[in-house]
């Protein structure tokens, strides 16, 4: 009996001890303060600056509009209005288009007739040019509001043969006259003022200084040599567009 009493006493002691231990565990405590930030790392080293690029080359100076042969010299023939000055006034009313090195085109926009006569002032038209070089002229006419829709050679028949335009070359002036057909004389004689042209275009094709001999010593003038060259190439000089295409000129 004593043994059982002792066992019972021991059991009660263990239960009491377990209850005591479990009753000693308290609630979870509050979160502690945050720790101090660590020391910042060292900044990296700046990269090396790139090398500066090379400066571009200066552009070439342009050519004055009156400098027809682009040589930088004020030639007498380039003083179109003959006022002793080489400036923009020598470009007014006309412009030259360089094709090949020896071809110049002078363009007059909206040229006017005066009692059937049209005078185009052109200082480049010197006696030497008239004697040695080929001078071609054309009038452009509008169709349905489109300027220069058709070109006619001067001299020649214009506007479906409604009238004939003659031409005279004088130093510094290219003159045109328009005539209509006269049934009595069976010729173009009566001067008229035709329909307004969109433009007048004069081409000066410089000849070379070479004298060409053909056949049994027959001498061909430099001017004729140019015309022969065009004919051999199949270019119809009465066709302004064909001449422009041959010399690489923008119509």
């Amino acid at each position: 009996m004593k043994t059982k009493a002792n066992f019972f006493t021991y059991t009660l002691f263990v239960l009491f001890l377990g209850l005591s231990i479990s009753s000693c565990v308290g609630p979870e405590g509050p979160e502690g303060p945050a720790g101090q930030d660590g020391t910042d790392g060292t900044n990296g080293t700046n990269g090396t600056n790139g090398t500066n690029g090379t400066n571009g080359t200066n552009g070439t100076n342009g050519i004055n509009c009156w400098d027809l042969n682009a040589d930088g010299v004020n030639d007498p023939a380039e003083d179109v209005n003959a006022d002793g000055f080489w400036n923009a006034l020598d470009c007014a009313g006309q412009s030259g288009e360089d094709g090949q090195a020896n071809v110049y085109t002078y363009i007059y926009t909206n040229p006017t007739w005066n009692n059937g006569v049209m005078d185009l002032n052109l200082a480049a038209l010197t006696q030497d040019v008239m004697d040695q070089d080929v001078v071609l002229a054309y009038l452009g006419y509008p169709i349905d509001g489109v300027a220069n829709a058709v070109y006619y050679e001067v001299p020649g028949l214009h506007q479906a043969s409604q009238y004939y335009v003659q031409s005279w070359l004088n130093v510094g002036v290219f003159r045109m006259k328009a005539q209509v057909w006269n049934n009595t004389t069976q010729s173009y004689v009566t001067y008229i003022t035709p329909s307004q042209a969109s433009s007048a275009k004069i081409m000066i094709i410089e000849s070379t200084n070479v004298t060409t001999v053909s056949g049994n010593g027959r001498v061909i003038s430099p001017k004729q040599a140019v015309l022969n060259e065009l004919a051999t190439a199949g270019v119809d000089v009465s066709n302004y567009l064909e001449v422009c295409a041959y010399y690489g000129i923008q119509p």
Side-chain angles (χ1 to χ4, degrees):
M1 293 299 292
K2 184 175 180 179
T3 301
K4 291 182 178 179
N6 290 337
F7 176 76
F8 178 75
T9 302
Y10 176 76
T11 301
L12 291 176
F13 176 75
V14 171
L15 291 173
F16 175 79
L17 180 62
L19 292 174
S20 298
I21 292 174
S22 62
S23 64
C24 290
V25 177
E28 184 178 351
E31 184 178 351
Q36 293 182 346
D37 293 338
T39 304
D40 292 339
T42 304
N43 292 333
T45 305
N46 292 333
T48 304
N49 292 332
T51 304
N52 292 332
T54 305
N55 292 331
T57 305
N58 292 332
T60 305
N61 292 332
I63 300 171
N64 292 318
C65 63
W66 63 87
D67 191 2
L68 301 179
N69 56 7
D71 63 352
V73 177
N74 293 333
D75 300 317
E78 294 169 348
D79 183 16
V80 175
N81 59 2
D83 63 354
F85 298 95
W86 286 259
N87 52 35
L89 295 178
D90 296 310
C91 312
Q94 64 181 34
S95 62
E97 290 184 3
D98 293 343
Q100 293 186 357
N102 62 333
V103 181
Y104 302 96
T105 302
Y106 300 87
I107 303 174
Y108 301 77
T109 58
N110 299 314
T112 57
W113 297 91
N114 182 14
N115 295 324
V117 178
M118 180 187 293
D119 283 338
L120 303 176
N121 295 320
L122 181 57
L125 195 58
T126 64
Q127 190 63 53
D128 285 343
V129 167
M130 291 188 292
D131 292 341
Q132 301 177 16
D133 301 332
V134 174
V135 180
L136 303 176
Y138 307 87
L139 286 179
Y141 294 92
I143 296 178
D144 296 331
V146 178
N148 300 315
V150 61
Y151 289 97
Y152 294 98
E153 184 186 21
V154 179
L157 293 172
H158 288 215
Q159 302 287 42
S161 301
Q162 294 180 34
Y163 51 87
Y164 184 84
V165 178
Q166 294 178 306
S167 65
W168 288 265
L169 277 67
N170 300 300
V171 174
V173 178
F174 192 106
R175 169 166 289 189
M176 303 181 190
K177 287 186 178 182
Q179 301 172 295
V180 293
W181 183 260
N182 187 299
N183 286 326
T184 302
T185 62
Q186 292 293 295
S187 62
Y188 290 94
V189 293
T190 305
Y191 293 108
I192 64 164
T193 297
S195 58
Q196 182 66 28
S198 302
S199 67
K201 302 189 178 185
I202 299 177
M203 301 179 69
I204 297 179
I205 307 173
E206 293 181 350
S207 59
T208 65
N209 293 323
V210 176
T211 300
T212 303
V213 179
S214 175
N216 298 326
R218 178 186 174 190
V219 177
I220 299 176
S221 69
K223 179 186 296 187
Q224 187 60 49
V226 172
L227 295 174
N228 289 350
E229 175 190 341
L230 292 169
T232 301
V235 178
D236 180 3
V237 294
S238 68
N239 189 317
Y240 172 67
L241 298 180
E242 284 190 19
V243 177
C244 286
Y246 181 75
Y247 286 110
I249 298 173
Q250 181 67 36

